[in-house]
Amino acid sequence: MDYLSNPYQEPPRSNLEEGHHGIDFSYYHKDGVGPAIDGTFIQAILSGRVAGLGIERLPYGNMLVIETPYENLPVWTAELFAMQSGSSLYILYAHMLNAPSHQIGQNVACGETLGQVGGSGFSGNPHLHLETRVGPSGIDLPSMIFYETTATLEEQAAYVEWRTGNTWTKYDPTPFLTQAGAH
């Protein structure tokens, strides 16, 4: 049985690295008995294009960010996130088992397999970490890393902007997932 194992926590104040900006899904089992989530396929929630990519980099490990422009969203989704023309919904899928096989700019279809649940990056156990942001359309996040000594200044700046900057409006993905099931 799957569970929301770590819910969304209110976004931090600007320029502070705090809170849990997404939601985590994992299976619970005691003493190794029961199903395990690692290896479960991850499917795209919406159609869009790959805007972000991370391969074995901290904190997200193997991850993808999919951008869906306002014009391509169902009306109820744009309303839920209070979006306007020129903005996009960005969904981050993190801690994947293997490096994503997708490339920046590649289109993905709703329901397309993005990878498998894993425990890469800062992850105490295998789970899917999911974040939602609204921001200007057309932004690429080819690499956003912070907690590694090999991170470039550009990678660190991209991470800081994603996590604490003013380019993005952070949203709890739970209401979207709940309403998506009704549509």
Side-chain angles (χ1 to χ4, degrees):
M1 175 172 274
D2 56 15
Y3 293 96
L4 176 62
S5 60
N6 194 0
Y8 181 82
Q9 297 170 12
E10 287 301 314
R13 299 168 298 230
S14 279
N15 299 318
L16 293 177
E17 173 75 339
E18 62 185 12
H20 188 244
H21 298 219
I23 57 179
D24 293 344
F25 295 97
S26 65
Y27 291 130
Y28 290 102
H29 55 276
K30 184 176 170 84
D31 300 326
V33 176
I37 195 168
D38 45 325
T40 300
F41 289 104
I42 301 167
Q43 295 176 308
I45 296 170
L46 292 168
S47 296
R49 76 170 187 91
V50 177
L53 184 64
I55 299 174
E56 281 300 332
R57 301 304 295 260
L58 299 176
Y60 293 115
N62 296 317
M63 68 88 173
L64 284 174
V65 178
I66 307 296
E67 173 196 12
T68 305
Y70 167 85
E71 293 75 18
N72 297 347
L73 289 169
V75 172
W76 68 268
T77 303
E79 290 173 354
L80 177 68
F81 291 108
M83 294 176 64
Q84 299 179 3
S85 182
S87 64
S88 288
L89 178 63
Y90 292 82
I91 301 175
L92 178 142
Y93 305 79
H95 306 305
M96 294 167 47
L97 181 63
N98 298 307
S101 60
H102 295 75
Q103 301 297 318
I104 298 286
Q106 182 178 345
N107 290 325
V108 297
C110 181
E112 181 177 326
T113 298
L114 301 176
Q116 294 173 279
V117 174
S120 61
F122 283 157
S123 173
N125 63 308
H127 68 280
L128 170 62
H129 176 80
L130 189 73
E131 295 184 12
T132 51
R133 304 270 197 286
V134 172
S137 292
I139 294 179
D140 285 339
L141 300 160
S143 189
M144 49 181 187
I145 305 151
F146 196 77
Y147 299 103
E148 291 187 21
T149 57
T150 60
T152 67
L153 292 176
E154 292 81 15
E155 290 170 325
Q156 290 177 349
Y159 175 81
V160 168
E161 186 58 35
W162 176 261
R163 290 284 296 179
T164 66
N166 295 318
T167 300
W168 313 97
T169 304
K170 299 153 190 76
Y171 286 95
D172 179 354
T174 308
F176 168 73
L177 295 174
T178 304
Q179 289 191 24
H183 288 87

